Amino acid sequence: MNEIKCPHCGKAFKIDEAGYADILKQVRDSEFEQQLHERLELAEQDKRNAIELAITKAASESQKAAAVKEAEIQDLKAKLEAGEVTRKLAVTEALSAVEKSETR
């Protein structure tokens, strides 16, 4: 026989081994369920954090790639505009040379 003290009223009472084992099992099961729930919550939080980190990293990499592409586009536009200016200058010089040769 085991003696157990009631946590509410403080009265002690005796129970047999089977009853004591049942109470002990209930306490263990309750604690196990609580620990399991806490660990599952932590695992779920870790998973959410990992997903957020992956999303942030992917967005950052995407922004970097977009910035590189934008810089490349701006460079190509500048080269295109420079080529256009060079072409217009060459046409103007050629026309000027033709006009000078016609006026002579």
Side-chain angles (χ1 to χ4, degrees), residues 33-46:
E33 287 294 324
Q34 182 181 0
Q35 289 175 357
L36 181 62
H37 180 71
E38 289 172 1
R39 288 183 182 181
L40 287 173
E41 285 292 323
L42 287 174
E44 185 65 29
Q45 184 63 37
D46 287 346

Side-chain angles (χ1 to χ4, degrees), residues 6-22:
C6 177
H8 299 290
C9 66
K11 183 178 178 183
F13 57 95
K14 292 186 178 192
I15 59 170
D16 62 358
E17 291 297 321
Y20 183 77
D22 286 341

